[in-house]
Amino acid sequence: MVRVLGSAVLIGAVILVAGRPLLPAQVVGFVSIVALFFHAVRGIGRAEAVIFLLLCLAVTFIIENIGVATGVPFGSYEFRVAPNLPHVGEIPIIVGPLYFGMGYCAWVIACIILNRWGIRPDDRFSLFALPVTAAFAMVQWDVVMDPPNATLWRAWVWHKGGGFFGVPLTNFLGWFLTVWLYFQLYACVVWKRAAGVASPRSRAFWLFPILLYLASGLCHVLPWLMDADLRLADGGDRVWSAQDLRESTVIVMLFTMLPTGLMAILRLYDRAHLPRQPEA
């Protein structure tokens, strides 16, 4: 009961404060990442949770640093968030753990949608299908959160702006490449490993990362309803309406992250849908 109550409080806090990247959102984000790591330890095993974390951090910090230095693959941009935090190269240290937290949620969602209840690939199809599906779920989050964080809050800025409220298409292509790569590496590493968890977890257990994924999209509703309109200039000096940006963020969330999360929940609680048995 305590664990359920704590999960509900955390999910509610994400919805209430994570839409504005201020100190309360940073605290809630840190707590969420820690909670998701311990969920991964219980769900996929300690060794595989650490493998997932290390691959995620290595790939994302390497590619993000290349991106800042060269503009490839995300476009020409720079981070302005958390200048007083430690950095890995040019990247604030919080960036890697955020990739891990949402990446784990996206991986769980992909496994449930594709009926891999071991939360890992179990045949050649899922070896490649899981990373691609998880990458799309992960990039949906980026499509939702990038315009408000970049153009409204200036946590990071594209020097030449971009067509999606100051964010260029190259950013989303770069995100897909980055997250697909660490999902694919993880899938290849764990495919032939013995499972780290002796028995499957309950449906309710897997609900937590799905709800956190949904909460990270729903958190943009309150700013849209409550915050004042402003005129914003992106890095390319194009002017946007803050209210248009917020409304577009909510529209995109309602038809990307929300259906993806709901699809995973429906699959999770489909009593007629038996867990798939691994192939010999």
Side-chain angles (χ1 to χ4, degrees):
M1 179 60 71
V2 174
R3 186 177 291 126
V4 172
L5 181 60
S7 298
V9 170
L10 179 57
I11 290 165
V14 171
I15 293 173
L16 290 175
V17 307
R20 304 177 183 92
L22 305 174
L23 181 60
Q26 295 169 16
V27 172
V28 168
F30 174 78
V31 174
S32 299
I33 292 165
V34 172
L36 287 166
F37 177 75
F38 283 105
H39 188 281
V41 169
R42 294 183 64 220
I44 61 178
R46 182 181 295 107
E48 293 193 6
V50 171
I51 291 169
F52 192 100
L53 174 65
L54 293 179
L55 285 173
C56 171
L57 295 181
V59 170
T60 56
F61 278 124
I62 288 171
I63 296 182
E64 287 278 3
N65 272 288
I66 291 172
V68 168
T70 68
V72 178
F74 304 101
S76 178
Y77 73 109
E78 64 174 305
F79 279 96
R80 297 182 180 177
V81 67
N84 297 323
L85 285 180
H87 282 52
V88 178
E90 297 297 320
I91 311 304
I93 196 167
I94 189 60
V95 170
L98 283 171
Y99 267 104
F100 163 78
M102 288 304 296
Y104 175 67
C105 294
W107 180 260
V108 170
I109 286 170
C111 290
I112 291 172
I113 289 175
L114 293 179
N115 195 30
R116 266 53 184 192
W117 290 84
I119 316 299
R120 60 190 294 150
D122 56 22
D123 58 10
R124 286 182 176 82
F125 171 80
S126 60
L127 178 63
F128 299 101
L130 285 176
V132 170
T133 305
F136 275 112
M138 181 74 164
V139 174
Q140 285 176 5
W141 174 58
D142 185 50
V143 173
V144 169
M145 65 89 178
D146 235 316
N149 280 287
T151 302
L152 176 56
W153 294 102
R154 313 291 281 187
W156 45 86
V157 176
W158 275 268
H159 298 145
K160 298 179 181 179
F164 186 42
F165 290 98
V167 183
L169 173 62
T170 51
N171 169 68
F172 305 112
L173 297 176
W175 257 73
F176 189 89
L177 173 65
T178 301
V179 298
W180 169 79
L181 181 58
Y182 84 72
F183 287 140
Q184 189 64 69
L185 288 173
Y186 174 73
C188 290
V189 169
V190 303
W191 184 30
K192 293 299 186 180
R193 282 176 53 88
V197 179
S199 59
R201 297 293 181 180
S202 68
R203 286 175 168 86
F205 176 83
W206 295 115
L207 187 61
F208 175 68
I210 302 173
L211 291 180
L212 266 184
Y213 175 87
L214 287 173
S216 68
L218 292 170
C219 69
H220 296 283
V221 173
L222 279 181
W224 167 56
L225 292 175
M226 299 177 62
D227 292 0
D229 195 10
L230 300 167
R231 306 306 291 176
L232 307 170
D234 64 23
D237 294 326
R238 186 179 299 180
V239 177
W240 307 92
S241 160
Q243 189 63 6
D244 287 348
L245 183 156
R246 296 188 191 100
E247 184 174 357
S248 297
T249 296
V250 172
I251 291 169
V252 171
M253 178 274 296
L254 289 175
F255 296 98
T256 56
M257 294 182 73
L258 184 62
T260 296
L262 289 179
M263 189 186 307
I265 293 173
L266 292 173
R267 175 73 79 177
L268 190 64
Y269 285 96
D270 181 2
R271 297 292 183 180
H273 193 84
L274 297 176
R276 183 182 181 280
Q277 297 300 316
E279 293 182 1

